[in-house]
Amino acid sequence: LLSRINSDVATIKWAASGNMSVLIRSSLMCIGSFVLLFYINWKLTLILLSTVPLYIIVTVVFGKINKDLAKKYQDIIANSSIIAEESFGNIRTVKSFGSERKETEFYNETIKEVYKVGKKKAFWESAYFVTTNIFTYAAMLAILWYGGSLVVDKEISTGELTAFMLYSMQLT
């Protein structure tokens, strides 16, 4: 119970302090970048905005998977801490019954479970980043393709396309 409470407090602390500053900074950067992008070329900005629904869908799906795995991971870590705490707290009883090996094996099994869930969690987090990177590069490619055609048609300059690309990278 104590291990779980400590873990929950650390999670809440990070969410309350670290994530809020990142959220505020990222929101301001995003708003500023979109204003500049619309000013440079609204057509290219619409292409960029067309990827937002894909990001939302992917984030919701992967977020649910990650949330479930994070809870399971945290529960297993708390369980392994309980096992270790009980064994160390009752070391005389464990030794008197010669159960050191049994307790060690029991603890090792929970650690293997922690590793298994952690590995699964890492896989899904990696899959999320790979998927969002594919969307990002596909959007950049579409913007370069369409922006290049606008440059050829002399609707925008090469400098405007370059500025658009640089500001759009602020969003990633």
Side-chain angles (χ1 to χ4, degrees):
L1 182 62
L2 189 59
S3 173
R4 181 62 188 256
I5 289 172
N6 286 336
S7 178
D8 288 346
V9 167
T11 302
I12 291 170
K13 179 182 173 189
W14 170 248
S17 62
N19 285 344
M20 289 307 274
S21 66
V22 170
L23 175 68
I24 291 168
R25 185 180 68 229
S26 295
S27 297
L28 291 175
M29 289 280 296
C30 187
I31 291 167
S33 293
F34 271 117
V35 168
L36 288 170
L37 291 173
F38 267 108
Y39 177 73
I40 293 170
N41 191 292
W42 65 272
K43 293 175 187 177
L44 292 175
T45 305
L46 290 179
I47 292 173
L48 186 64
L49 286 174
S50 69
T51 62
V52 171
L54 292 173
Y55 279 105
I56 291 171
I57 291 168
V58 167
T59 301
V60 167
V61 169
F62 281 99
K64 180 172 178 9
I65 292 168
N66 191 41
K67 181 182 175 185
D68 294 343
L69 286 172
K71 183 178 179 342
K72 186 175 181 181
Y73 185 75
Q74 193 173 17
D75 290 343
I76 294 169
I77 287 176
N79 188 37
S80 66
S81 294
I82 289 169
I83 291 168
E85 187 178 326
E86 286 177 356
S87 294
F88 289 133
N90 298 315
I91 194 70
R92 290 183 187 157
T93 306
V94 170
K95 281 189 171 196
S96 68
F97 285 102
S99 299
E100 294 96 336
R101 179 168 289 173
K102 179 183 166 195
E103 291 296 323
T104 302
E105 288 173 8
F106 189 53
Y107 181 74
N108 283 340
E109 289 301 315
T110 60
I111 293 301
K112 285 178 186 174
E113 187 66 22
V114 167
Y115 176 76
K116 187 172 90 176
V117 172
K119 189 175 170 183
K120 195 176 201 181
K121 187 174 175 288
F123 169 80
W124 285 106
E125 287 172 358
S126 299
Y128 170 74
F129 288 116
V130 166
T131 304
T132 56
N133 280 338
I134 288 171
F135 288 155
T136 300
Y137 291 128
M140 291 294 177
L141 186 62
I143 290 167
L144 279 173
W145 173 77
Y146 186 65
S149 69
L150 291 176
V151 169
V152 169
D153 294 340
K154 300 201 187 305
E155 288 186 41
I156 62 172
S157 69
T158 307
E160 289 173 322
L161 179 59
T162 303
F164 188 91
M165 292 302 294
L166 291 173
Y167 283 120
S168 65
M169 286 182 201
Q170 295 291 319
L171 299 173
T172 59

